Amino acid sequence: MKKTFAILASLLISFSALADEGMWLPSLISQRIADMQAKGFKLGAEDIYSINQASLKDAVVLFGGGCTGELVSAEGLLFTNHHCGYSSIQKLSSVEHDYLRDGFWAMTRDQELPAEGLNVRFLERMEDVTSQVLDGYSLNMTESERSELVTRNSEAVKKAAVAEGKGLRASVEALYYGNQYFLFVYRQYDDVRLVGAPPSSIGKFGGDTDNWMWPRHTGDFSIFRIYAGKDNMPASYSEENVPYTPKKYFKVSLGGVKEGDFTFIYGFPGSTREYIMSEGVRYISEISDPAKIDLRTKRLDILKRYMDSSQKIRIQYSSKYASISNAWKKWQGEAKGIDKMNTVAEKQAFEKRFIQWAKGGRYEGLVERIGGLYERLVPYDFAREYYNETVRAVELINFASNWPDGNVDAFYKDYHMAADKECFVALMNAFKDNVPEQFQPEYFKNGLASYGSVEAWADEIYGKSVFADEKAVASLSKDASLDSDPAREFAKEFAKWYSETIVPVITVINSELDLAYRDYMRGQMEFQKDKTFYPDANLTLRVAYGHIAGYSPSDGVYYHPSSTVKGIMEKDNPDIFDYNIPQRLRDIYAEGGHEDQPVCFIATNHTSGGNSGSPVINENGDLIGLNFDRVWEGTMSDIVFDPEFCRNICLDVRYLVFVVREIGGAGHILDEVEFTN
Ligand code: ARG
Ligand code: GLU
């Protein structure tokens, strides 16, 4: 009896596990809609994606080429994350108007600030074009002949698709390792203006300390508006442009969320690898992640020491530090999560069964072949990653290598040479110690022999390179010959080694891997007939659904799924940059009545980088939040999803409303939004 119950319970768990994992193609959502409805969703498949009528997809945009945004009014008003709008807000800022520090609120439409270079894309339609893309393919083609054919056919498909109208952009993307191809047709709008942003002390509250972590209290939102020509079609910036009228926009729910509520995320996840072989996972979790974490720890330690020593350096390096630490932290969670889930061993066991099943058929020997390819790839890929995280991570070397590209003033404004030199020494010593000798450039080995040490070499570069002298660089002629400049030479020689000895091998192996994975993907689908597959993320529009849920990060601890302003006050500390909140928030809180003001929540939706800013939608299709992060214990979900630990972190839209009205004093911005309860 007990045993039956245990089996039943484990069946139930694995069923619900399957249910919350997945990033589904909107045009195929009819295959999932019954499950979504069984879990509480009240709308139908055509409400999510339709080419015949306005649907929710028309209210979602690819924002700035790497994030997601959503339309929330009939006049083109758009919400996304603060960290997605960050670089636009920064570019619009100056010493007199520091919108990052102080926030920005347009009091009238005239005050909305054009964000140059920013665009948004609406998905017009998506379509399976596999047969067109593979037209002319025959089995005896080599992989490179096949990929030439795919490129040629895709170009023709894209060309036909964009001929239809203004601002159209098309891409053809491979799904399931090229077993399927989809056409995506977007309409791109280039006149996008900043409407509102909270001060960073709200929009980035918790900074890198809280990044990738729960409990979270970040007001990670910014507000923009899309402008169009008088015909509502894309137009480059002009005073004549008018607010864009969307086919569809979200109503904003003030009804609140509670544990168990249905949630649905609509957005553009960037990249996942759920179907790779155990060897691929082992490389990531046991070799690549630890090596990169170690290199970044070295840099972060050095930078932190300098930043703690001077306010000026802290400002110069805060954004660089943030971007170094973002992936650094994610990799730690990822490697740990993969280890905890025993994914390598699980995959190995699966592969054993697969090999058994494949005997005598077309998939015989495939897994072994992929294993062999990894064996060849790994040392080269390790050298590639090491190069990227060392040589290319040194600011001076990078700048010297790109010159005359790159903005001289901008570079030196945020450059502190002593810190960079220390990074050079630490990183290149690691290169010397950890990259196997036969994979190191001869140039490097010879240089080390003649200088005697990385330190001595650093003295030469940082003492003699023209790039170590801002004034000298400013007066350099663009065609000056710099072949003997030690920084330039270092960059060039490494680049040469990289492109001549590392890249060609990786390219060849990767193309064999592509081919093998195409088979392996199909093989997995044939082998696991009852499993529901979803294509790996590739920055195309996806639906992920789940529910609001807390989790237990470790024994004896349970994390509730929502956070409140009370938690902000608990963290508030004027002496700690990441936790120093605006005085106005302290004052409002002191008045009382705001203890329970919601701030963030977590849910079980399967998301990835690129889902930042994605609308979080309730059972009625109304907006309840903005996705902006994942919990640290669940960042392995790009490789393997664990329903127990994988949670996405969302801004509760009611905090957005609170901040706009109470902190920004800009409630008028939300007058055009339709609220529901
Ligand atoms: N971890 C989130 C995302 O990749 C947020 C990153 C921005 N925030 C920060 N504190 N660095 O990518
Ligand atoms: N912060 C991520 C982004 O910028 C989203 C979080 C994630 O990777 O899930 O897209």
Side-chain angles (χ1 to χ4, degrees):
M1 174 70 192
K2 232 179 174 172
K3 202 163 169 203
T4 343
F5 179 73
I7 291 169
L8 201 74
S10 79
L11 275 179
L12 281 176
I13 287 168
S14 65
F15 176 72
S16 71
L18 197 114
D20 288 355
E21 172 176 358
M23 306 170 162
W24 312 98
L25 288 175
S27 63
L28 303 179
I29 204 64
S30 58
Q31 297 167 1
R32 307 300 310 168
I33 197 72
D35 189 46
M36 292 176 77
Q37 288 167 343
K39 297 193 161 91
F41 190 50
K42 297 206 180 110
L43 308 184
E46 282 277 303
D47 297 311
I48 295 176
Y49 178 93
S50 172
I51 46 170
N52 305 311
Q53 64 185 53
S55 59
L56 292 181
K57 80 146 172 62
D58 300 313
V60 183
V61 294
L62 177 64
F63 182 89
C67 276
T68 307
E70 55 275 358
L71 277 290
V72 290
S73 88
E75 295 170 272
L77 198 68
L78 175 154
F79 292 165
T80 188
N81 289 152
H82 187 259
H83 80 262
C84 294
Y86 201 84
S87 64
S88 298
I89 303 168
Q90 180 171 43
K91 278 187 217 143
L92 290 166
S93 296
S94 61
V95 179
E96 301 81 59
H97 301 286
D98 188 343
Y99 302 135
L100 276 181
R101 188 190 60 205
D102 305 330
F104 170 79
W105 309 103
M107 289 300 157
T108 61
R109 292 265 165 99
D110 292 347
Q111 290 179 6
E112 297 178 355
L113 301 172
E116 224 189 295
L118 177 64
N119 65 58
V120 298
R121 286 182 172 193
F122 290 89
L123 180 69
E124 287 278 309
R125 63 189 172 88
M126 56 189 289
E127 189 187 320
D128 188 335
V129 290
T130 314
S131 60
Q132 286 111 292
V133 168
L134 293 181
D135 187 30
Y137 174 67
S138 65
L139 275 174
N140 55 17
M141 278 184 173
T142 64
E143 182 64 4
S144 76
E145 286 167 343
R146 184 186 187 274
S147 80
E148 270 166 38
L149 177 84
V150 165
T151 309
R152 202 165 54 241
N153 286 344
S154 300
E155 285 307 320
V157 168
K158 289 192 282 187
K159 204 164 159 209
V162 298
E164 293 161 21
K166 241 187 201 169
L168 293 185
R169 302 279 194 285
S171 74
V172 169
E173 303 292 341
L175 300 174
Y176 297 118
Y177 294 92
N179 282 298
Q180 219 178 1
Y181 291 90
F182 263 77
L183 166 70
F184 295 84
V185 182
Y186 301 95
R187 201 180 295 277
Q188 176 174 316
Y189 285 79
D190 295 300
D191 185 354
V192 183
R193 306 186 194 172
L194 178 64
V195 176
S200 289
S201 52
I202 285 183
K204 220 187 155 203
F205 179 78
D208 291 295
T209 316
D210 287 5
N211 191 22
W212 297 113
M213 305 233 281
W214 185 256
R216 193 65 159 276
H217 300 89
T218 313
D220 200 345
F221 75 90
S222 56
I223 305 176
F224 289 81
R225 189 187 306 280
I226 304 168
Y227 279 77
K230 297 230 158 56
D231 56 358
N232 208 35
M233 282 291 140
S236 48
Y237 171 79
S238 154
E239 272 183 33
E240 309 287 296
N241 285 352
V242 295
Y244 167 72
T245 309
K247 290 184 215 149
K248 184 86 187 172
Y249 56 89
F250 288 101
K251 291 179 189 149
V252 171
S253 166
L254 299 177
V257 299
K258 59 177 189 316
E259 184 128 29
D261 282 358
F262 176 85
T263 56
F264 154 33
I265 302 250
Y266 215 156
F268 291 87
S271 158
T272 61
R273 287 171 288 175
E274 311 284 346
Y275 307 105
I276 55 175
M277 194 201 161
S278 57
E279 277 305 296
V281 179
R282 196 174 66 79
Y283 175 66
I284 293 167
S285 64
E286 293 175 18
I287 301 172
S288 164
D289 280 352
K292 291 184 296 187
I293 292 163
D294 177 55
L295 289 170
R296 289 201 178 195
T297 303
K298 290 185 164 64
R299 278 158 83 193
L300 291 168
D301 286 350
I302 293 166
L303 296 182
K304 172 133 202 325
R305 195 157 29 78
Y306 279 92
M307 288 165 75
D308 285 348
S309 76
S310 133
Q311 174 79 351
K312 183 175 171 215
I313 303 175
R314 191 183 60 64
I315 294 168
Q316 287 178 318
Y317 277 81
S318 66
S319 153
K320 293 181 223 177
Y321 190 93
S323 72
I324 299 167
S325 77
N326 191 37
W328 169 78
K329 206 159 176 182
K330 187 204 154 183
W331 292 326
Q332 295 179 49
E334 180 174 85
K336 201 169 167 216
I338 289 171
D339 183 52
K340 194 163 174 179
M341 280 197 80
N342 218 2
T343 307
V344 175
E346 296 268 334
K347 290 218 174 204
Q348 281 166 347
F350 170 79
E351 286 149 16
K352 264 205 183 117
R353 297 197 301 277
F354 183 91
I355 288 170
Q356 201 55 35
W357 168 82
K359 277 214 170 99
R362 60 178 296 199
Y363 300 110
E364 178 161 2
L366 181 58
V367 170
E368 297 87 329
R369 197 159 82 240
I370 296 176
L373 287 168
Y374 273 113
E375 212 173 297
R376 280 165 55 202
L377 180 67
V378 159
Y380 287 92
D381 215 36
F382 187 75
R384 177 185 68 82
E385 294 200 287
Y386 237 82
Y387 169 64
N388 282 326
E389 289 289 325
T390 57
V391 179
R392 305 215 35 195
V394 177
E395 293 177 84
L396 190 78
I397 300 296
N398 232 335
F399 187 69
S401 136
N402 293 334
W403 197 86
D405 291 346
N407 181 325
V408 175
D409 294 338
F411 177 77
Y412 290 100
K413 177 175 149 286
D414 288 338
Y415 182 65
H416 186 78
M417 196 160 88
D420 187 45
K421 185 179 173 189
E422 261 192 61
C423 287
F424 175 92
V425 169
L427 297 175
M428 294 320 299
N429 267 320
F431 191 98
K432 168 173 77 87
D433 295 338
N434 299 326
V435 175
E437 251 191 72
Q438 73 267 34
F439 289 98
Q440 296 188 7
E442 289 306 316
Y443 165 78
F444 184 59
K445 289 188 271 190
N446 295 338
L448 276 180
S450 67
Y451 285 108
S453 69
V454 169
E455 286 76 359
W457 200 340
D459 288 341
E460 169 80 9
I461 291 176
Y462 288 80
K464 300 228 177 95
S465 169
V466 64
F467 295 100
D469 180 350
E470 177 177 358
K471 287 208 186 74
V473 178
S475 56
L476 261 185
S477 120
K478 294 242 180 273
D479 41 41
S481 161
L482 293 167
D483 291 345
S484 58
D485 183 90
R488 179 89 161 179
E489 181 194 271
F490 193 89
K492 290 262 135 115
E493 289 289 337
F494 262 94
K496 187 162 171 261
W497 156 81
Y498 178 67
S499 66
E500 287 175 4
T501 68
I502 302 298
V503 173
V505 182
I506 292 183
T507 308
V508 168
I509 302 174
N510 270 343
S511 104
E512 289 179 54
L513 261 180
D514 285 348
L515 177 64
Y517 265 130
R518 194 172 315 126
D519 281 344
Y520 187 42
M521 189 71 236
R522 216 166 39 237
Q524 291 182 59
M525 288 169 144
E526 285 176 29
F527 180 49
Q528 298 169 288
K529 285 239 158 28
D530 296 330
K531 177 170 167 169
T532 317
F533 287 84
Y534 56 91
D536 270 325
N538 57 356
L539 208 65
T540 59
L541 190 60
R542 301 298 175 91
V543 167
Y545 59 95
H547 58 277
I548 308 272
Y551 70 109
S552 170
S554 57
D555 185 43
V557 183
Y558 183 75
Y559 282 159
H560 292 281
S562 31
S563 64
T564 63
V565 167
K566 186 162 169 276
I568 298 182
M569 303 316 295
E570 286 167 1
K571 287 177 180 170
D572 175 28
N573 184 339
D575 297 329
I576 300 177
F577 181 75
D578 285 347
Y579 293 137
N580 185 11
I581 59 172
Q583 187 53 39
R584 175 140 182 85
L585 183 53
R586 287 185 195 114
D587 295 343
I588 294 171
Y589 191 78
E591 288 165 13
H594 295 293
E595 294 78 8
D596 299 330
Q597 168 62 48
V599 176
C600 294
F601 60 81
I602 50 176
T604 61
N605 304 282
H606 193 177
T607 54
S608 190
N611 268 125
S612 277
S614 295
V616 190
I617 304 157
N618 70 8
E619 54 183 19
N620 300 315
D622 297 340
L623 189 75
I624 50 175
L626 274 62
N627 186 74
F628 71 94
D629 209 358
R630 274 174 289 169
V631 304
W632 189 72
E633 298 89 348
T635 48
M636 70 295 196
S637 64
D638 291 345
I639 313 284
V640 57
F641 188 90
D642 183 347
E644 248 188 84
F645 294 102
C646 292
R647 298 289 180 272
N648 57 316
I649 307 181
C650 314
L651 169 78
D652 191 311
V653 76
R654 291 170 298 170
Y655 188 52
L656 179 154
V657 172
F658 170 83
V659 170
V660 172
R661 287 184 180 152
E662 308 297 327
I663 307 290
H668 63 276
I669 290 174
L670 302 177
D671 285 349
E672 60 192 87
V673 171
E674 273 177 57
F675 292 101
T676 63
N677 271 307

